[in-house]
Structures are given as structure tokens and as C-alpha cells.
Amino acid sequence: MIKFDASHAMLTEDIMSYEEEVKRIHKMIHEKTGAGNDFLGWVDWINKYDKAEFQRIKEVANAVKDRAEALLVCGIGGSYLGARAAIEMIQGLYPKNKTEVIFIGNTFSSTYFKQVEDYIKDKSVVLNVISKSGTTTETAMAFRMLKQMMEKRYGKNECKERIIATTDKARGTLKSLADKEGYQTFVIPDDIGGRYSVITPVGLLPMAIMGIDIDEVYRGLKDAYNDLNNDNLATNPAYQYAVCRRILQNAGKDAEMLVAYEPQMQMVTEWWKQLFGESEGKDGKGILPCSAIFSTDLHSLGQFIQEGKKVLFETLLLVDRPMMDGVFPYDEADEDSMNYLANKSLNWVNKMACEGTLEAHEVTGKVPNLIIHLNDMKEYTFGYMCYFFFIACAMSCYMLDINPFNQPGVEVYKKNMFKLLGKPTK
Ligand code: PA5
């Protein structure tokens, strides 16, 4: 369950004044009549996903996980961020897994690639290459280099069990190559774009290999589908969030900072930035999504938020129950004068930091704050949260009369880069 709290948002309009607009757009989403409507497969995915494929994900994950000291996940953007967000949120940053996950194919950095190559040279590896188009340059470059390295190490035959491709069901270079080499393949559905694809094999396979309970992820997704798929603005927290974003931008807040108090949520904030940034930032419109982890970033960005130009609002993504907790120790000598915290829980200190900061930013800094409460950082909550942000994002974009599901601006850099790289034109 997600609780949404707008009581610190200093709203200048009534949320309910958007009731009719929300009803109209909700209908548009469900009747698939809006712009980009052939990418609305995520809306009712939980009712129509391929059960046999879901089962096969679990089987393949079980089969490969014992042979992998390192799982290489090769992909970028929507073909990478969701899996990483899920794994870090659910397992924390230093899990006790036998398998370590390494993300690659998400940068052109030569140093990054060479360091990873060196790091895995004595490790048993399994590779999941993920690309819907099959032609994304960062991913394709890393994949070719890793494939050659693995074929040299294991031979082509064993690579059939160690390389898994997640891609389009029928088209594209990666699909043809995977079929030719005899790799296991999983499907990225035609009607789900990259940044909505974490709930498909794109996210599920890496999660399952890392030991995450994907049945629980889907239980959360299903409950969110049941809870949030209605046009009742008075009770639907996802649509309330979308409306508040609109009201705040109308009041001149052109940037939204998603703030978490748990370092393991950092990749969730990165995933969220892609979801909202790539969906909403077009036609000269949109709210700039940025993120911070507090209290860490209070020591860097805190000054700007408190006293800088009043361009932003904060959305706090708060976790009610941490994954772990401990007690701050008493010290007889108290030379560091920290005994005032003795015997307090570590999480309580984090919560007090949050409460104090909220008051400082809202009351003194006049920065509006929206609050999204998550119960915990478990599988169920992850699945639920994905749907919350998906449907809030679609609503936000349609309120601005924007197609949420394309990204025409991303192509501009690629065109220039291909020219410089001498890529042959067809
Ligand atoms: O959200 C998106 O559509 C993009 O971020 C893509 O996921 C990203 O560009 C990777 O594309 P592909 O999966 O085709 O390699």
C-alpha cells in the first residue's frame, strides 16, 4: 500500500477541481484513445502476461544462478534501470548473495568496460543481454566484446547456457543472433516501452537470478492494478500525486526533487527520473525530475533547497520500515558527546532527521513537499510502487497534452554520434 500526503505541499488550487479532467484522461488511458496508445500494454499487463514465460523465467533463473559468481546485465535506459532499482531496493547495497550483479552496456566509458573485464576475469559469469531494438550502440558494443570473451573462455556450446537474450519477439539483430547461436530468449512485449518494462522479463529475469521473489512483485502489481485503476480522485493516491505535480508547476515549480532517506533507494530515484523525464519532457513542457538521498545530499544540495532560487518542490519517498535496524551504543567516557543518542534506534535518528528537514524546507524554506509513504522495501512494495508511478506518469503527461510513450528528442544525439562514428546509412 502507498499513502500519499499533500498536507505539506502549500497547494494554491483545490485538488478536486481537477476531478473532471482526471475522469476524462482515465477513460482515455483505458479506452486507449490517447497519443501513443499502442504502448499502453502495461496498464493491464498483470491480467494478460504470458504465464508459461513467467514460469520459464523462474526455471532459467534457478538453472543459471548456481553457475554464476557474477551476473552481467547488459542494457541501457529502460533495459537496465528497473532491474537495478529493484535489486538494490529489495536486497540493499551489500547483500549476502553468492551471485554478484554487474551492470554493463550502459556507457561508452572505455575505463568502465576494461575494469569490469578485468574484475570478472576469474569469475564464473552468466550474461543477460537486454535490448528491445537490438541495435542500441552502448549495449551492442559491450555485448559483442563480452560474447567474444565468453566464447573464448567457455566455448560456443556452453555459452548457450550462459547467455540469455531479452528482446523483441520476432524482429531485430539481437533476436536473429540469439536464435542463430541457440540462446534462451525472453520477450519484451511490443506494446510496452523501455521505461515501463521492468514488470516484463526485462526486469524479472535479473531479479529472479538474484533470488528475488517475482511472485511477490506481481502480487504487489496486481493489488496496485486493483487499487489504482479507478477515476476516483478523492481516493486514488496516484492521480492525486499527478494532480499535485500539475498544481505545483502551475505555481511556478518547474523542478521536482525525489528524495529518499535510504541509500538503497538511489536507483529507484534514477529509474523514476527516466520514467518522468523521458515521458514528460517534450514539446517545451514538463517538470525537470531530479533526485537526492538525504541526509547525504543535505550536506551538498541542502543549502540550495533551503535558500536558493525557489524553482523546485520535493517529493519524499519515505519508507516506514527499514530493511534492518540497530541500536546506537552507550559509551561510559562519552568523549564524543554522543550519549544523548545512546540506546536510540538508528532508524529513529533517520526519521528525526527527516522530520526536522521537512519542517526546515517547508516552513523556513517555503519549499512545497509531497510525501509518498512506502511500507517497506520488499518485493510486494516494489511491484506496487511501479504501477503507482506508471499510472501517475501517464496521467501527468496527458494533463499536459503530451504523448508519454515516445522519446523523439533522444534520437538527436544518436544521429550526430553516428555521423561522427561513420555508421553506414542504409
Ligand atoms: O525507455 C526507453 O524506451 C529507452 O530508455 C530504452 O529502453 C533504451 O534506449 C534502450 O533501448 P533498447 O532496449 O532498444 O536497447
Side-chain angles (χ1 to χ4, degrees):
M1 281 285 289
I2 281 184
K3 278 184 268 134
F4 177 69
D5 175 4
S7 64
H8 303 271
M10 300 180 255
L11 299 178
T12 49
E13 296 173 65
D14 178 11
I15 296 180
M16 291 311 290
S17 65
Y18 286 81
E19 198 174 7
E20 285 315 308
E21 191 176 348
V22 164
K23 277 191 195 308
R24 178 182 60 79
I25 295 173
H26 177 80
K27 196 159 172 259
M28 221 167 91
I29 294 173
H30 286 270
E31 291 178 356
K32 304 196 174 178
T33 51
N37 54 45
D38 42 353
F39 283 98
L40 281 163
W42 54 271
V43 174
D44 51 357
W45 175 248
I46 195 63
N47 294 334
K48 64 177 196 202
Y49 71 92
D50 180 344
K51 311 278 182 306
E53 185 175 58
F54 189 81
Q55 193 50 37
R56 195 161 60 85
I57 289 175
K58 294 198 257 182
E59 284 160 14
V60 169
N62 277 334
V64 300
K65 73 176 167 221
D66 288 335
R67 52 196 328 169
E69 285 172 278
L71 165 67
L72 306 172
V73 177
C74 184
I76 194 167
S79 291
Y80 138 76
L81 285 160
R84 186 161 181 186
I87 292 166
E88 293 192 5
M89 169 170 161
I90 295 163
Q91 299 192 323
L93 298 178
Y94 298 98
K96 288 201 178 120
N97 279 335
K98 254 177 41 201
T99 307
E100 173 184 9
V101 61
I102 295 171
F103 295 93
I104 196 161
N106 55 355
T107 170
F108 286 121
S109 163
S110 49
T111 308
Y112 183 78
F113 186 85
K114 295 311 278 183
Q115 280 204 316
V116 170
E117 192 180 49
D118 189 49
Y119 182 72
I120 60 174
K121 72 175 186 299
D122 299 318
K123 294 188 194 304
S124 167
V125 296
V126 163
L127 169 63
N128 180 201
V129 55
I130 309 172
S131 179
K132 188 169 185 180
S133 60
T135 55
T136 302
T137 320
E138 290 88 336
T139 307
M141 275 180 79
F143 179 54
R144 177 192 281 198
M145 295 190 281
L146 292 169
K147 179 175 178 287
Q148 288 187 356
M149 179 211 81
M150 288 176 71
E151 284 175 353
K152 213 157 125 197
R153 195 192 293 182
Y154 301 115
K156 266 188 176 286
N157 222 17
E158 195 174 330
C159 280
K160 288 183 191 159
E161 280 146 37
R162 287 185 180 266
I163 300 180
I164 309 155
T166 308
T167 188
D168 188 87
K169 71 171 180 307
R171 289 179 304 247
T173 322
L174 181 56
K175 175 65 182 160
S176 341
L177 195 146
D179 286 347
K180 188 176 139 267
E181 298 287 2
Y183 303 149
Q184 287 266 8
T185 58
F186 289 95
V187 175
I188 310 180
D190 286 341
D191 57 356
I192 300 187
R195 52 194 177 274
Y196 289 76
S197 69
V198 60
I199 56 173
T200 74
V202 171
L204 296 178
L205 183 64
M207 287 188 226
I209 297 175
M210 292 308 290
I212 286 174
D213 183 347
I214 58 173
D215 286 309
E216 272 297 287
V217 173
Y218 266 27
R219 198 168 66 81
L221 188 66
K222 175 95 186 166
D223 281 357
Y225 170 82
N226 288 331
D227 293 350
L228 306 175
N229 236 323
N230 63 75
D231 63 5
N232 188 345
L233 183 56
T235 56
N236 187 334
Y239 287 164
Q240 288 168 1
Y241 169 55
V243 167
C244 286
R245 296 179 80 251
R246 186 83 326 273
I247 295 174
L248 288 166
Q249 190 174 33
N250 290 345
K253 307 299 178 192
D254 283 323
E256 174 178 14
M257 184 175 278
L258 187 71
V259 173
Y261 277 76
E262 299 286 349
Q264 73 204 76
M265 295 294 283
Q266 179 160 3
M267 287 309 299
V268 168
T269 71
E270 297 299 326
W271 169 82
W272 169 90
K273 279 195 279 198
Q274 191 214 2
L275 179 63
F276 280 82
E278 218 167 56
S279 301
E280 199 181 43
K282 53 196 80 146
D283 304 341
K285 300 182 198 169
I287 297 174
L288 172 71
C290 51
S291 66
I293 298 295
F294 287 175
S295 65
T296 314
D297 295 327
L298 287 174
H299 297 258
S300 58
L301 292 168
Q303 173 61 35
F304 186 97
I305 301 165
Q306 190 72 47
E307 294 182 345
K309 194 153 191 224
K310 298 294 161 204
V311 287
L312 64 87
F313 64 94
E314 291 170 283
T315 297
L316 306 187
L317 190 55
L318 299 184
V319 177
D320 293 341
R321 279 193 292 276
M323 197 169 116
M324 293 174 164
D325 200 358
V327 173
F328 188 70
Y330 174 78
D331 186 292
E332 190 63 50
D334 196 27
E335 279 166 358
D336 53 6
S337 307
M338 295 296 285
N339 265 355
Y340 73 100
L341 292 178
N343 303 318
K344 297 278 197 288
S345 96
L346 300 178
N347 187 51
W348 178 82
V349 177
N350 204 13
K351 277 197 176 343
M352 292 308 104
C354 174
E355 277 182 31
T357 306
L358 174 60
E359 192 180 330
H361 289 184
E362 180 196 348
V363 180
T364 317
K366 303 280 179 266
V367 176
N369 270 253
L370 300 171
I371 305 179
I372 296 168
H373 285 275
L374 306 180
N375 272 347
D376 53 36
M377 294 180 281
K378 295 183 182 164
E379 284 90 336
Y380 174 91
T381 304
F382 181 81
Y384 199 106
M385 180 190 73
C386 286
Y387 202 82
F388 174 91
F389 282 129
F390 286 164
I391 201 150
C393 182
M395 176 58 68
S396 289
C397 293
Y398 282 139
M399 288 179 91
L400 284 173
D401 205 14
I402 280 171
N403 175 353
F405 308 114
N406 63 1
Q407 52 282 327
V410 180
E411 298 311 310
V412 184
Y413 98 88
K414 291 187 191 165
K415 229 174 110 198
N416 290 350
M417 180 182 75
F418 290 148
K419 211 160 93 190
L420 292 167
L421 293 175
K423 183 177 178 177
T425 43
K426 284 192 190 134

